């Protein structure tokens, strides 16, 4: 009996030590990215700032679009990321963050804008995660990080929907084909809360084999009035050398008590062609219409009604280094683009960029 008990204890002790020995330590990654560019707008805007865009935000100037340093941790039951950022795209994208007009000097928004992401996540069950903090938005198909997009500049539907949000999200992967998310956040791209209301968002992703991906995103909240937003994305990998992406966004916002809803919508169609092992070409057509200026304020009779086309050529010089070049045309119903001799309905610009990852 004693021998059996002793054997059992030894086996249990050995199993405990074996289990602790094979337990994987958390994976910690440090890295960063820097993206410098030169852009030339043929309208030659006198102030050098380019309106209605976050990238490239400056004309005829060598500038830093985005630079960030990051630390990521991942383990079986937890994960997280902290990334600090700077650049002209940061200044342009966070310019609408709330700042108290009664105060002077540096405000909370001026500090938080340099936090690209800061979140912590916990795995509640198999395939189910909860994350809290500040993170990239769930809507849209284009990232705030230029190297992750097919084109260097971002489409109109991307620039005029949220890039980031603060709050809590649940992510559930019931299978390899499906991903479901539920979000509770401050509001429409808000780090600093502007009212007592919160916004709710959802995401449904379905992967039909290796070629098709369908995504449906929603965001509902109250800004000045109730705002409803839907985002549809279809991606198709036709061959190893051709990928296509179609995005359609539509939003509604209350005009006021008993006044009905104003509507805006936009679409973007992109096609990326791999020309070789290190080169690719992306062609884009797009349109965006916000006649009542609920998202984009132009102070013109027809609001923001713009179509565009662009061509982007990438050359991956090294695994860590990419050279990107783009030529883009945008045409508006009204004269909204600043030029040396006054506002014009169209803008044509070119940009070249060098980005490094480490």
């Amino acid at each position: 009996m004693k021998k059996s008990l002793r054997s059992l204890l030894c086996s249990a002790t050995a199993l405990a030590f074996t289990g602790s020995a094979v337990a994987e330590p958390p994976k910690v990654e440090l890295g960063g990215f820097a993206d410098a560019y030169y852009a030339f707008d043929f309208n030659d805007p006198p102030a050098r700032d380019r309106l209605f865009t976050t990238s490239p935000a400056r004309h005829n100037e060598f500038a830093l679009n985005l630079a960030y340093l990051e630390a990521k941790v991942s383990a079986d039951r937890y994960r997280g990321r902290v990334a600090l950022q700077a650049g002209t795209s940061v200044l342009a994208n966070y310019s609408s963050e709330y700042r108290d007009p009664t105060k002077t000097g540096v405000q909370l928004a001026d500090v938080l804008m340099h936090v690209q992401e800061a979140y912590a996540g916990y795995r509640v069950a198999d395939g189910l995660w909860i994350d809290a903090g500040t993170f990239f938005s769930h809507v849209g198909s284009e990232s705030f990080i230029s190297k992750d997009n097919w084109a260097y500049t971002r489409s109109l539907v991307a620039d005029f929907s949220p890039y980031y949000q603060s709050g809590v999200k649940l992510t559930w992967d019931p299978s390899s084909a499906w991903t479901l998310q539920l979000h509770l956040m401050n509001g429409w791209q808000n780090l600093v809360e502007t009212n007592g209301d919160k916004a709710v968002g959802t995401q449904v992703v379905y992967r039909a084999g290796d070629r098709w991906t369908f995504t449906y995103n929603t965001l509902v909240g109250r800004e000045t009035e109730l705002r409803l937003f839907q985002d549809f994305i279809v991606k198709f990998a036709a061959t190893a050398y051709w990928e296509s992406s179609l995005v359609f966004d539509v939003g509604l916002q209350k005009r006021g008590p008993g006044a009905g809803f104003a509507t805006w919508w936009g679409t973007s169609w992109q096609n990326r062609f791999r020309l070789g092992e290190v080169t690719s070409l992306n062609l884009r057509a797009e349109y965006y219409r916000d006649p009542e200026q609920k998202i984009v304020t132009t102070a013109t009779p027809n609001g923001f009604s713009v179509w565009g086309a662009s061509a982007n050529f990438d050359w991956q010089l090294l695994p860590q280094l990419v050279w990107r070049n783009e030529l883009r045309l945008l045409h508006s119903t009204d004269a909204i683009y600043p030029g040396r001799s006054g506002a014009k309905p169209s803008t044509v610009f070119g940009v070249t960029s060098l980005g490094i990852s480490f």
Side-chain angles (χ1 to χ4, degrees), residues 260-283:
F261 284 87
T263 304
W264 73 91
W265 66 275
T267 186
S268 171
W269 181 35
Q270 299 192 60
N271 289 273
R272 180 167 65 169
F273 304 91
R274 298 186 186 278
L275 306 178
E277 292 186 1
V278 295
T279 56
S280 65
L281 173 69
N282 184 73
L283 302 177

Side-chain angles (χ1 to χ4, degrees), residues 99-329:
R99 292 167 176 82
D100 191 338
T102 65
K103 296 180 179 179
T104 59
V106 176
Q107 299 199 27
L108 180 60
D110 299 315
V111 177
L112 292 180
M113 69 185 294
H114 295 293
V115 180
Q116 185 183 88
E117 283 194 305
Y119 69 84
Y122 175 69
R123 183 171 66 82
V124 180
D126 288 343
L128 180 63
W129 285 83
I130 182 170
D131 297 275
T134 295
F135 33 78
F136 289 129
S137 172
H138 66 290
V139 305
S141 65
E142 295 173 70
S143 170
F144 188 61
I145 302 173
S146 62
K147 68 181 178 66
D148 296 334
N149 298 327
W150 292 0
Y152 179 71
T153 68
R154 294 179 285 268
S155 61
L156 297 171
V157 288
D159 264 351
F160 299 121
S161 60
Y163 280 122
Y164 60 86
Q165 57 198 42
S166 283
V168 180
K169 67 177 178 180
L170 282 172
T171 304
W172 181 37
D173 294 295
S175 70
S176 59
W178 290 92
T179 296
L180 309 175
Q181 289 187 351
L182 177 64
H183 297 253
L184 179 64
M185 65 202 86
N186 285 338
W188 180 275
Q189 192 162 277
N190 288 348
L191 293 176
V192 181
E193 184 58 278
T194 59
N195 55 43
D197 298 320
K198 296 294 179 283
V200 176
T202 63
Q203 181 178 89
V204 178
V205 180
Y206 174 63
R207 305 168 191 86
D210 297 329
R211 292 193 173 186
W212 291 92
T213 302
F214 302 90
T215 304
Y216 173 55
N217 299 311
T218 69
L219 199 160
V220 179
R222 185 177 300 276
E223 302 305 316
T224 53
E225 297 289 344
L226 178 64
R227 180 177 294 175
L228 313 172
F229 179 75
Q230 298 180 87
D231 171 45
F232 305 86
I233 306 166
V234 179
K235 288 188 175 182
F236 175 52
T239 69
Y241 302 97
W242 172 35
E243 297 174 277
S244 186
S245 171
L246 179 64
V247 180
F248 179 78
D249 290 355
V250 59
L252 297 91
Q253 181 166 313
K254 285 280 290 183
R255 296 188 181 96
F261 284 87
T263 304
W264 73 91
W265 66 275
T267 186
S268 171
W269 181 35
Q270 299 192 60
N271 289 273
R272 180 167 65 169
F273 304 91
R274 298 186 186 278
L275 306 178
E277 292 186 1
V278 295
T279 56
S280 65
L281 173 69
N282 184 73
L283 302 177
R284 175 174 59 201
E286 58 184 325
Y287 181 74
Y288 195 97
R289 178 168 170 77
D290 181 15
E292 298 188 44
Q293 305 175 54
K294 294 301 181 182
I295 301 297
V296 192
T297 302
T298 63
T300 59
N302 295 290
F304 192 75
S305 180
V306 176
W307 63 265
S310 65
N312 182 97
F313 175 77
D314 288 351
W315 186 357
Q316 194 77 42
L317 302 173
L318 296 169
Q320 302 82 13
L321 192 68
V322 61
W323 179 32
R324 315 194 72 181
N325 302 273
E326 185 173 330
L327 183 66
R328 188 175 184 184
L329 161 68

